[in-house]
Each structure stands twice: as C-alpha cells, then as structure tokens.
Amino acid sequence: MSAAMNSARLSGPWSGETVRSDEDQSVLAAIRRGERIKATVHDAVHSEQHVLNIEDFSLWYGTSQALFDVSMPIPRGKVTALLGPSGCGKSTLLRSVNRLNDLIDSVSVEGEITLNGSSLYGPRVDVIDLRKRLGMVFQKPNPFPMSIFENVVYPLRIDGVRNKGILRDACEQALRGAALWDEVKDRLAKPALGLSGGQQQRLCIARAIVSDPEVLLLDEPCSALDPIATQRVEELISEISERYSVLIVTHNMQQAARVSQYTAFMYLGHLVEYGPTQTIFQAPALRETEQYVTGRFG
Amino acid sequence: MNRQATKTQTHKERSTPPSAHGEPAVWLTGSALITCLALVVVTMFIIASNGLVTLWPRPIERITLRSGEILLGLPMGSEQFTPAEQDSQRIAELVAAGDLEQAGEDGTRTRLRFRLGNRDIGRDAFVWVPEYEIVSRDRPEDAVLVERDEWGIFIGVPEAVIVRTRSTESASSQFNPAGTLSTEFGTGPALREVVGESDGIRTVDSAVRIAQGPAETLETYSEIHGSFAKRRARIRALQKSEIPSVQDKLAAIDWRVRRAQMDTDIKPSRVTVPVWIGVAMSSVGLGAVGVGLLRRKHVTPLIAAVRTLCVLLAIAGAMFAVLERPIARGGVSTERLAEVVAQADAQRQDLRAQGDGLLAEIRTLEAADETVRLEIIDPGLSRFAPAEQSRPDTPMRLSQARRLIQSNTLGFSGRVRLYLTRWWDFLSRPPGESPGDGGVFPVIVGTVVLTLLLTVTVVPLGVVAAIYLREYASQGIVTSAIRIAINNLAGVPSIVYGMFGLGFFCYTLGGYVDAGPGEAAIGGMPWWTLIVTLILVFALAAALSAVGADRGPVKGGNGLWSKVARSVSLWSWLGCAGLAGYLIWTTPYFGGFFAEKLPQQPTFGTRGILWAALTLALLTLPVVIVATEEAISAVPGSMREGSLGCGASRWQTIRRIVLPAAMPGVLTGAILAMARGAGEVAPLMLVGAVNLAPTLPVSGDAPFLHGDRTFMHLGFHIYNLGFQSPDAEAARPLVWTTTLLLVAIVLGLNLFAMHIRSRLPSRGGGI
C-alpha cells in the first residue's frame, strides 16, 4: 500500500510530500470536526479536456452548509462517478449542476460551475435553456403517464418541435441509444407505465438523451432496479459515455469500479479524493479512500 | 432435541385481547355505513314512490253519503282516525240502530280521502269522508275525468254536445222555437231564439244538441276533438308568440327612436382626430417592439425593463384610444333624426296593420271555437262545467276539454299509455295560469341552462385560481390566509350570496352595462393628467421589476434593496391596475348599451339568468378551488422534477404534466360544484328566478342565449307549488313529481360528468 502511495503524484499543498498514515486518519476526523481540508486531486484528471468545471462551489440549505468549496473538473467523453456514504452531498452536487436546487427556496450558493466555459450561475443565465443542455435521470424511474413515444419526445415537444417526421426519427434514435428500441418498437403508443422497472429507467435515459445533451447527469440510476436490469443499464452507460459525458452518483462501489473512468470520493460535503478509477480503487492516495472503497466503513 | 424439550417447558400461554381482533370496529363501521346508505335509499324511495304515482290514472268512484250527497272523485287512500266529540253521539246512535259495526279496539274509525276536482263550481279539491257516512260506493262506467288548461280537473258525467249556429230567415216566416237542425258536426234537436230583427231579416240563434247521453257524447267528442285542438293550438301560438313578437318589434322601434334622440346630445370629444391616430399608431408600434423583445432568449435587466415598459405603454395607449374616441360633430344630426322618426312611423304602421290582422285572425278562430260546447254534469251539484267561473250558465267549450278520460273503462295497457302521455305532457308543455296546471318544460330548460352557464363560469376560474395558489404563490402566511378565506366562503349562507348578487351584479355591474357611468367626472382635473400618471407609474413599475430581478440562489443576490424594489414594483402594478379600472369605470364617453330602454325596462340592470349564474358560480367557487388544489398537490413531485429536468418551464410542466394528471380530481370538483349549484334556491329568488317567465332564456334568434331574461328554476318551482299556490293540497302531489324531476336531472348531470371523467385514462395520483 505504501508503495502505491509513493508512486502517486499529488497536487496541492501536499505535492512533493508522501503522506504518513497517521496524518491521513485525521482527514475525515478533521472534516467531522468542521475543519476545511484540501481535496486530493490526481494530475491525471487535469490532463483531460473538461466539459464541466466546478470551482470552489459551496451550497447552503438555509444556514447549514451542505457543500464546502468543492473544486473538480469533469472530463469530456468519460464517465465520472461520485462516490461516498449517505449524506455526503453527491446528489446535491449533481442537482446543482442543472440548477434543480433552485426549486428549494432556502438554498443559496457561492462559487462557480461552468459548462464548456460558460457560467451556469451567472446573472443572465436562462435556467430553462440550461436544463435542456443537460439531461438528468433520477433514482426512481419517473416516466410520465403518457405513451412511450410521447415520453421520449417530451423534451422536443416543449422546445416547440411539431414535425411528426423529426419526432419519430429522434424517438427511434434515442430508443436505440438507450437499447430499448427492439423491445418497444411495436408498442410506442402504449402507456409507459406498463413497462418493467428496468425498461422504465432505460426509457428515462432515452428521454434524457433525445435532445442531444452535453452532459448526462445520473442520480443513482440503478438503485431501484434488480441485478439484471442494473447490468443492462450499466452496459448502456458505458456505451453512451463516448457521445455524452456522464456524471453518475452512486453508493455502490462495484458499480463505480465497473462503469466509470474517473471517481470522486466525497465525505460530509467535502471532496476528499478525485482521480482515475483504477488509481482510486487500487492505489488511492488517502487511507480513508482505501478503507471506503474496500468496504471497511460507510 | 434437547433444546426443543426445554422450549415446550418454558412456553407460556398467551392470548390476544378481544379489542385487538377489531371485531367490534367492523360491526360499528359497517352499521354506520348501512345507516347512511339506508337514509339515502329511503329518501330516494319516498321521492320516487310519491312522485311516480301522481300521474297514474285512478278509477273514478261514486259515493253516496247518508246525507244523500253524491260525490264523484278519485280515491287517494285511507287512514284511521278518532272521530270528534260531536260525532261520537251520532256514531253511537248508528251503532245502536244496527247500521254500523262497533269500532275496533282502539276506538278509531276509517276515513277515506277523495280528490274531487271541479274547483270552479265550488268543490274542494280534497275531502276526507268517514267510512261510517258512506251508504254505497261504485264505479260508474260513464264517469269521465276532464283534463283542462285552467281550474284543474273536472269529474262528471258527459251529457251533451251542443252546437251554436246563427242563421237568418225572413221575418215574415213563422218562427219555430224548436226543431231538428243539422250542422257540420251532426244533427239533433235544437232550441232556437230570436236575437234580432231588421229590414225584414230575422237573425236566429240555435243551440243544437248533436249528441245526447254519455255514449253519444263521448263518441262525438272523439270524432271532432282533433280539429278543435288544432285550432286552439293555433290561437295559443298567435297569442303567445306571434302577437308578442309584433309587440317586441314595435317596442324596438320606439327604442331606436329614443336612442337616436339621445345620440343627438353627445358632446364632441376633447381629443382631436390627429392626436388620436398618433396615440393609436404609437401604441401599436410599441406593442410590436415589446412583443418582439419578448421572444428574445437572453435578456439583460435593461432590455427586460424596456420590454415591460413598451408592453405597458402599448396597453395604456390602446385603453386611451378605446375610451377617448374622437366623436365628430356631436353624434346624430337633426336631419338624420327626422329621417329615423319618419322611418319609424312607417314601420309602426306596417306592424300595426300586421298586428291587426293577427288579432282579426284570433277573433275569427275564437268565434268558430265558441260554437261547440260540451256539457259535463257533476251529479252531486247538478251543475255542468262552465266555460268560465264567472259565467256559470254557459257550458264549457269543447276545445277546453283537452282530454276526456273514461277512467273506469281503461284496461291496464290503456292506463300505461295514459300514464306515459301524461308524463310527456308534463315534461313538454309550458305551465298554466295557476301553479300546478300545465307542464314544466320551461322550468327544466331554465334549470339546465343555469347549471351549464354556472359550470362554464366556475370551472375555468376556480382551476386557474387554484393553479396559482398551489404552483406559483410562495407558500407563506399570505397564501394560507387566502386559503382560509376561500374555505370560509363555502360557509356563507347562500341567501347572502343572493343579496350580493343583486346589489353588485344586477344593480352596479348591470347598471353600468345598461347606462354607463353617467356623467361621472374625473375629479375636475384635466383629462390627460390621469393618463400621464398612469404612464409614469407603469414606467416605475417596469424599471423596478427589472432592478429587483431575482438573481437566483447565488448568495448575496437578494439584498434588502432588491427586496424593496420588488415589493414597490408589485404595488405599483396593483396601483396601475386599480387606476386602469377607475378610468374604465368613470369614462364619460361610455353611455351604456341599453340606455334608451331605461328607466322603464332595464336590460342587464335587473334580475336575469346571467347574473344568477355568476352568483351561483361565486357560491360554488370554493368547492372547485379546494378540489383542484388537492388534485394538483397529489401529483407526485418526481413527475414534476422529471419534467423540469427535461428543460420544461413551470407553465409547461403545469400544462402538460400536472393538469392532465390532476384532471380526474378537477372534474370531481366540477361535478360537486354543478350539483350544488343546481340545487340552490335561496339566492335565485333574489337574482333571477320567477314564478312564470314570459320567454325561454335560450331561443333561435341571436344572440341565442339571452342573459338578461328571467327564467324558471325547478327548485324555485317546487317552493312555489308547495307554498305559494292557492290550493296547497291539490298541488302536493305535483311537488313530489317536480322533486323527483329535479333529483333526476341533477343525477343525470352528475352521471354525464362522471361518464366524461371515466373516459380519461386513470392516472397515477388524484382521486
């Protein structure tokens, strides 16, 4: 373990120094005590092209702070997993990207998130337009009580597209992209609620990709699914990650290991460590990370 | 093995207490449900059984009393009663004489109820006849029940058909006071009398009995009745619709002349035409700019302010253009007025000639109608049914007997046919002079039109209000207060709504529609100061609404200044709206649409179906709002988030996801509102329902739905029948029937609405 630690290059105030295990113990303890810590971000992350850049982002629910100066670039064309125990702020961070947290009255934020260089929290940003450029899939599949076809083309309809031909083509493309086309192509007019759980989740993924978003945000997409459906969705995620950059929140370590190329470990609103999945799982810089990914706590 | 043995040794007996089984609760809750159901079923059964038998044909019984009196009536049931003190002695005598049996154990006797009819010759509608007074009862075959349009039914024995003719003969020929004459309807013995003699011509009136005795009379009646009925219907059509339409046209001419006269008094506008054109065009231009800017996706606060300002200025300019129309040269000129008057005179002459022709036709028809009479005798009073109560010596006209029913010879199928015919008459004919006569057709129409108008008003208003309350308004103390106020609206007594409707809708709003605000001056200031103030306040509101714009959740974006700015902006919007309302209310150039008809005949400034529908809409508004709110909040948040995550705006989410999912609940609220509104009577008494409406609120001529007309309503009609009719006893059976009808109509409307609701695919969430 120490050899792995020695070979990793770290950035920040820790650069150039190997970290001793007893100091590592204090990272999580320090977080629990309320101290600010600097996240451990591996250099490999910086060498990628970034689609999203989160800079010193903090979020408050009223007076209690939920995210503490999170800074992480999200690479383009790759799957990035947010990992961590319950309550660590990964879902909050995800929802901050497409500003769904705006719906909660007591939320206030500081810091910056940029998408392809343009700020998401600037004063002139059109939130509706922003959400169209990001697709989101939620934990529990939430297809609308309409037909399968209407579900998939919903983002296009609200954009004003009425041409039946365009809608049909887009629907087929999205359903193929979500690996659902063969199963539902004969029953596009049937209600979406008649599909099984796994199919509904894939439908939601199809709905999310139909308007060609720049980033796909997935909030624990498989936690409500059975193992077979989970496997299919995970395969799907790997397939589509080349076209869309994917940011996935999960509490399932094995899933993160299977699906993502980059993993970020968060704890109580702080980003603790962030780097290539291989490194995080096999040679993490911090002992706490290693303890978490091997299942010794959380 | 060992462990098992230990287990059985230490196993203790446990029993669950009886209350844990829940059995008492099952019986209790079940009984409560059964009680409720029983109440509803029993109520419906009572209404149905009483309402359905009213029109069922009953036999006619002839009773001879010990006093010698003869009664012909319809048996309506019996009851036990204790005879009065003064009668008990008589009863004892009868028992002693062996004519009467002993009373039963409780000392009570039976008495029978009979419906007598024949009100116009002095009989009571209903009598109770003690059984001990009855000598004989039988059902004569020749007794008939006569259904009439006035004075209710007549029960008697048909005696003769008499035809009156007038003929002339030479005065020198011998006058024969009797003889056999033939008329177009038949031949028979005649009684003749001289009515005049001049120039050697004697005019003689003859009364020819072309049918004598019950059998012949009935046969002759059924032969010739048809043509008389047709003639009577034509007379009624002339009286009820054609002559009133000529009168309406005459009145319309008068109003037109009056309007022209009023228009000569209009002051010329203070705004000159070039100024008006300038304002109108610039407001159109500003509106175009504003709308164009509305489509831009990325706006800076400056552009937002400019955009709002443009739109508001355009609206202000449009209002100004409409309200301050330049009227050239003071309205109608004197030459034009003279033209109008001359035209009116000519039209009046034509119409009067037309009316005279119609009146002449009526006179001819009535003269022909008078010739044939029917003698139906009440054997007890030995009098025949008169043509009018004031002329008891003239027998009734044949056409007055709408139907002659030989009740005792009807078979079962005959009774059923008569029953159905009576129902059809009831539902399709207009009411007669006194309550209880005729049918309820206009009452049904009035009720249905009122309910539909009410639903069409309250559902959109309530749903939109509920959407704002639940989706857009920030859920704070103000919203809760509004919700409490709405719920309290449901508890206000309905007659208070009637008072409000009368005062506000009828007199204030209706008066405004009729005659405008009159010469309400705008406080003595120059007319343009208000316009300028309006524009300045609009500008302030627009600027502040942009400055105080929400910067989202970014910390420090919502400081005190932006809060103040937002609240000032909101209040200036409200102030502008109030000012605009005041401007509209007091504009001196709106003279009302129906001012010429005042003060004799206010159009909208009095009771009418439109105001009645609006009053009831207000009454049922809380129901719709509460039901819609519940349905909307039952839509799961995950669906809303899903829609917003796809990039839908709040309104798109509401329109495409929330509302369709909430539709079953919304329709439930609409059904409840409709049912409640259809049954409310108290407010209607003040705002529009009348005992007898001259016209239907809907008709074939534009504007098809006449909101200014009064109407009849089933609930009000029931009240009328039960408490306002001169003969409450006679009307009682009809009260039940009308109640049954009202229940059936409300049920029908509900079923229709439920059918619509069931065709919506059931969604997740909502009832």
Side-chain angles (χ1 to χ4, degrees):
Chain A
M1 197 171 60
S2 6
M5 280 199 294
N6 280 331
S7 63
R9 280 207 51 203
L10 309 167
S11 58
W14 307 86
S15 56
E17 298 172 18
T18 53
V19 183
R20 285 190 294 272
S21 42
D22 21 297
E23 280 189 68
D24 291 354
Q25 294 284 46
S26 71
V27 171
L28 297 190
I31 294 176
R32 283 193 291 267
R33 278 195 303 267
E35 292 167 16
R36 300 302 172 92
I37 56 116
K38 269 290 188 186
T40 311
V41 182
H42 296 236
D43 270 347
V45 173
H46 293 297
S47 60
E48 292 273 3
Q49 257 200 331
H50 302 142
V51 65
L52 272 178
N53 204 352
I54 306 174
E55 293 165 20
D56 292 323
F57 191 73
S58 303
L59 185 145
W60 287 261
Y61 286 113
T63 47
S64 83
Q65 192 166 2
L67 291 174
F68 297 80
D69 291 322
V70 175
S71 298
M72 47 188 292
I74 310 290
R76 182 192 306 279
K78 299 279 194 291
V79 180
T80 309
L82 291 178
L83 206 57
S86 316
C88 70
K90 35 190 213 293
S91 286
T92 311
L93 184 63
L94 195 77
R95 290 163 61 95
S96 306
V97 174
N98 72 346
R99 291 187 69 166
L100 269 189
N101 284 327
D102 287 12
L103 301 175
I104 307 169
D105 279 335
S106 56
V107 158
S108 52
V109 306
E110 244 178 34
E112 188 61 83
I113 301 185
T114 56
L115 173 67
N116 285 325
S118 56
S119 158
L120 300 186
Y121 277 89
R124 305 182 200 172
V125 167
D126 185 357
V127 178
I128 310 290
D129 192 54
L130 158 71
R131 292 194 189 127
K132 289 187 183 150
R133 291 153 60 197
L134 305 164
M136 186 150 190
V137 177
F138 297 84
Q139 187 167 345
K140 192 166 171 304
N142 57 359
F144 303 130
M146 312 181 207
S147 67
I148 294 175
F149 176 75
E150 286 299 328
N151 261 280
V152 177
V153 301
Y154 182 76
L156 298 177
R157 278 207 194 276
I158 58 183
D159 228 359
V161 178
R162 263 189 240 142
N163 185 321
K164 282 252 159 69
I166 297 181
L167 289 178
R168 249 180 280 139
D169 288 335
C171 173
E172 183 179 336
Q173 243 189 333
L175 284 173
R176 280 191 196 280
L180 195 57
W181 175 250
D182 291 319
E183 290 168 53
V184 300
K185 66 181 175 210
D186 315 321
R187 42 182 181 137
L188 287 179
K190 293 269 161 60
L193 292 168
L195 297 173
S196 76
Q199 286 172 323
Q200 285 184 4
Q201 193 64 302
R202 276 180 283 148
L203 178 67
C204 292
I205 294 178
R207 185 175 70 198
I209 63 177
V210 75
S211 47
D212 226 10
E214 294 169 40
V215 182
L216 254 191
L217 306 168
L218 307 176
D219 190 352
E220 303 197 37
C222 303
S223 60
L225 304 179
D226 61 274
I228 309 275
T230 304
Q231 189 187 17
R232 295 210 61 182
V233 173
E234 285 181 6
E235 282 167 14
L236 179 61
I237 294 175
S238 309
E239 277 170 32
I240 63 179
S241 69
E242 285 135 43
R243 283 198 64 182
Y244 318 101
S245 322
V246 175
L247 184 58
I248 177 169
V249 164
T250 179
H251 62 260
N252 183 339
M253 267 83 67
Q254 289 78 27
Q255 182 172 79
R258 285 192 293 266
V259 152
S260 63
Q261 285 91 45
Y262 289 89
T263 304
F265 170 51
M266 296 183 64
Y267 186 73
L268 288 183
H270 294 76
L271 177 66
V272 177
E273 186 167 350
Y274 180 33
T277 306
Q278 286 249 5
T279 321
I280 295 285
F281 276 84
Q282 288 164 6
L286 297 180
R287 187 189 163 110
E288 282 84 353
T289 315
E290 197 228 343
Q291 286 187 329
Y292 182 74
V293 301
T294 51
R296 254 175 258 161
F297 84 92
Chain B
M1 282 279 209
N2 214 4
R3 223 172 272 153
Q4 260 185 345
T6 338
K7 256 210 172 127
T8 32
Q9 278 169 14
T10 55
H11 179 67
K12 249 192 292 199
E13 194 64 45
R14 275 191 306 182
S15 62
T16 31
S19 57
H21 286 284
E23 294 224 17
V26 172
W27 291 109
L28 212 61
T29 49
S31 324
L33 180 63
I34 298 276
T35 310
C36 295
L37 284 177
L39 283 172
V40 173
V41 167
V42 164
T43 310
M44 290 296 129
F45 180 71
I46 291 178
I47 294 178
S49 62
N50 278 311
L52 286 175
V53 300
T54 312
L55 300 175
W56 179 255
R58 291 169 196 269
I60 301 178
E61 281 194 0
R62 179 172 54 192
I63 327 162
T64 316
L65 300 178
R66 291 183 192 276
S67 54
E69 212 181 325
I70 299 181
L71 295 175
L72 262 187
L74 308 172
M76 303 283 281
S78 64
E79 69 174 13
Q80 299 294 110
F81 81 116
T82 314
E85 278 302 314
Q86 55 260 43
D87 294 329
S88 47
Q89 195 190 10
R90 185 150 175 277
I91 296 175
E93 286 171 13
L94 286 170
V95 171
D99 283 336
L100 195 61
E101 292 167 6
Q102 270 287 6
E105 283 187 11
D106 43 5
T108 58
R109 299 266 167 196
T110 318
R111 62 178 175 181
L112 306 168
R113 193 158 182 255
F114 286 94
R115 187 175 173 208
L116 293 183
N118 306 15
R119 269 188 8 243
D120 45 346
I121 56 173
R123 285 219 187 266
D124 294 326
F126 287 90
V127 288
W128 284 105
V129 179
E131 212 175 13
Y132 54 76
E133 295 281 359
I134 298 179
V135 171
S136 67
R137 279 168 78 174
D138 68 333
R139 295 187 179 180
E141 271 201 3
D142 44 7
V144 292
L145 178 84
V146 185
E147 287 182 4
R148 308 184 281 187
D149 283 328
E150 292 176 351
W151 290 104
I153 58 171
F154 193 93
I155 305 178
V157 178
E159 189 55 42
V161 177
I162 306 173
V163 178
R164 283 221 160 85
T165 57
R166 179 160 289 191
S167 55
T168 52
E169 55 186 25
S170 122
S172 46
S173 65
Q174 196 194 11
F175 172 66
N176 194 353
T180 307
L181 285 177
S182 74
T183 64
E184 60 177 307
F185 300 112
T187 315
L191 284 175
R192 308 174 79 228
E193 81 184 89
V194 181
V195 291
E197 197 166 325
S198 65
D199 298 332
I201 305 287
R202 195 187 293 143
T203 321
V204 180
D205 267 351
S206 329
V208 186
R209 283 183 173 249
I210 60 172
Q212 188 79 35
E216 274 186 36
T217 312
L218 286 169
E219 198 187 319
T220 314
Y221 173 86
S222 52
E223 274 171 19
I224 65 179
H225 173 70
S227 59
F228 279 82
K230 281 204 198 78
R231 183 165 39 216
R232 203 71 215 161
R234 172 81 189 133
I235 294 177
R236 197 174 299 123
L238 284 171
Q239 282 174 331
K240 291 267 159 62
S241 67
E242 291 199 29
I243 292 202
S245 108
V246 168
Q247 285 172 336
D248 283 343
K249 289 199 186 106
L250 278 171
I253 294 177
D254 286 339
W255 303 138
R256 235 178 295 146
V257 171
R258 182 117 179 264
R259 173 102 266 187
Q261 282 170 341
M262 287 171 77
D263 280 349
T264 55
D265 298 335
I266 289 187
K267 298 183 202 20
S269 164
R270 294 173 286 207
V271 173
T272 58
V273 176
V275 169
W276 186 86
I277 292 183
V279 168
M281 282 181 49
S282 52
S283 73
V284 167
L286 281 174
V289 169
V291 167
L293 284 180
L294 269 174
R295 292 172 154 272
R296 276 177 68 128
K297 289 208 163 185
H298 304 287
V299 288
T300 61
L302 180 64
I303 293 194
V306 168
R307 179 176 72 186
T308 320
L309 188 61
C310 284
V311 171
L312 294 180
L313 280 178
I315 296 176
M319 266 175 41
F320 173 79
V322 166
L323 295 176
E324 303 274 333
R325 292 184 308 275
I327 300 175
R329 261 159 277 294
V332 170
S333 65
T334 23
E335 297 96 37
R336 174 84 190 124
L337 180 63
E339 267 179 47
V340 170
V341 169
Q343 213 177 20
D345 283 335
Q347 283 174 331
R348 266 195 216 113
Q349 283 203 335
D350 288 335
L351 282 173
R352 286 217 183 96
Q354 206 181 341
D356 287 339
L358 291 175
L359 283 173
E361 194 185 338
I362 291 181
R363 273 197 294 271
T364 327
L365 290 175
E366 281 191 334
D369 197 50
E370 292 262 325
T371 54
V372 184
R373 309 241 161 204
L374 189 60
E375 246 184 42
I376 311 239
I377 310 259
D378 178 338
L381 298 178
S382 294
R383 290 177 57 185
F384 48 64
E388 283 150 44
Q389 199 203 19
S390 50
R391 288 162 47 191
D393 294 330
T394 322
M396 65 190 293
R397 294 191 292 273
L398 191 97
S399 58
Q400 277 178 306
R402 200 155 43 81
R403 205 175 278 132
L404 276 190
I405 305 164
Q406 237 184 328
S407 304
N408 294 331
T409 62
L410 284 177
F412 183 73
S413 62
R415 275 177 212 267
V416 169
R417 226 176 309 133
L418 182 60
Y419 181 66
L420 294 174
T421 318
R422 278 181 173 168
W423 263 108
W424 174 249
D425 274 354
F426 182 62
L427 293 175
S428 63
R429 294 175 63 88
E433 290 297 322
S434 53
D437 287 337
V440 289
F441 179 66
V443 190
I444 299 176
V445 170
T447 311
V448 169
V449 169
L450 175 76
T451 310
L452 287 178
L453 255 187
L454 137 79
T455 310
V456 154
T457 309
V458 79
V459 170
L461 189 64
V463 168
V464 169
I467 290 177
Y468 181 82
L469 264 184
R470 179 57 65 175
E471 294 278 335
Y472 287 108
S474 54
Q475 305 294 315
I477 200 168
V478 175
T479 319
S480 307
I482 294 178
R483 222 171 255 128
I484 291 175
I486 290 175
N487 284 332
N488 283 344
L489 263 186
V492 171
S494 49
I495 192 129
V496 174
Y497 280 103
M499 302 289 298
F500 169 77
L502 189 65
F504 179 68
F505 287 128
C506 295
Y507 294 149
T508 311
L509 266 192
Y512 183 79
V513 168
D514 269 356
E519 289 295 314
I522 314 183
M525 288 186 294
W527 58 272
W528 44 263
T529 50
L530 255 183
I531 311 276
V532 170
T533 317
L534 201 72
I535 291 177
L536 283 178
V537 180
F538 271 155
L540 177 68
L544 288 175
S545 65
V547 167
D550 212 337
R551 284 182 60 207
V554 177
K555 228 178 195 237
N558 297 329
L560 183 64
W561 166 237
S562 68
K563 282 205 181 65
V564 167
R566 268 208 298 280
S567 123
V568 173
S569 155
L570 175 68
W571 286 107
S572 20
W573 275 99
L574 292 177
C576 285
L579 265 180
Y582 182 71
L583 249 194
I584 295 175
W585 190 256
T586 57
T587 176
Y589 290 110
F590 174 55
F593 296 112
F594 305 102
E596 64 270 15
K597 294 196 185 170
L598 289 179
Q600 297 100 332
Q601 194 184 324
T603 320
F604 279 101
T606 183
R607 305 147 73 180
I609 195 170
L610 179 65
W611 304 136
L614 288 184
T615 307
L616 284 185
L618 208 55
L619 198 147
T620 51
L621 196 60
V623 173
V624 176
I625 291 184
V626 167
T628 311
E629 266 204 281
E630 298 233 350
I632 287 179
S633 52
V635 174
S638 60
M639 244 191 263
R640 267 180 248 240
E641 274 199 342
S643 168
L644 290 168
C646 289
S649 70
R650 248 213 201 120
W651 171 244
Q652 283 172 320
T653 307
I654 293 174
R655 188 170 82 82
R656 291 173 184 270
I657 310 284
V658 174
L659 255 192
M663 201 47 78
V666 170
L667 277 186
T668 304
I671 292 170
L672 286 175
M674 197 161 63
R676 171 131 190 241
E680 283 286 347
V681 176
L684 293 179
M685 293 202 291
L686 293 169
V687 274
V690 289
N691 299 351
L692 198 61
T695 47
L696 288 178
V698 289
S699 68
D701 49 312
F704 304 119
L705 174 68
H706 304 265
D708 54 323
R709 289 190 182 168
T710 54
F711 62 104
M712 299 175 76
H713 185 260
L714 269 175
F716 190 59
H717 194 68
I718 293 173
Y719 167 71
N720 235 9
L721 279 179
F723 301 100
Q724 308 281 54
S725 56
D727 197 351
E729 282 275 341
R732 193 64 52 76
L734 263 185
V735 170
W736 287 110
T737 314
T738 320
T739 308
L740 177 66
L741 195 58
L742 178 60
V743 168
I745 287 184
V746 173
L747 190 67
L749 285 173
N750 278 5
L751 285 175
F752 176 64
M754 275 189 236
H755 169 73
I756 292 186
R757 207 192 110 180
S758 70
R759 289 175 77 197
L760 295 174
S762 79
R763 303 264 150 88
I767 302 156

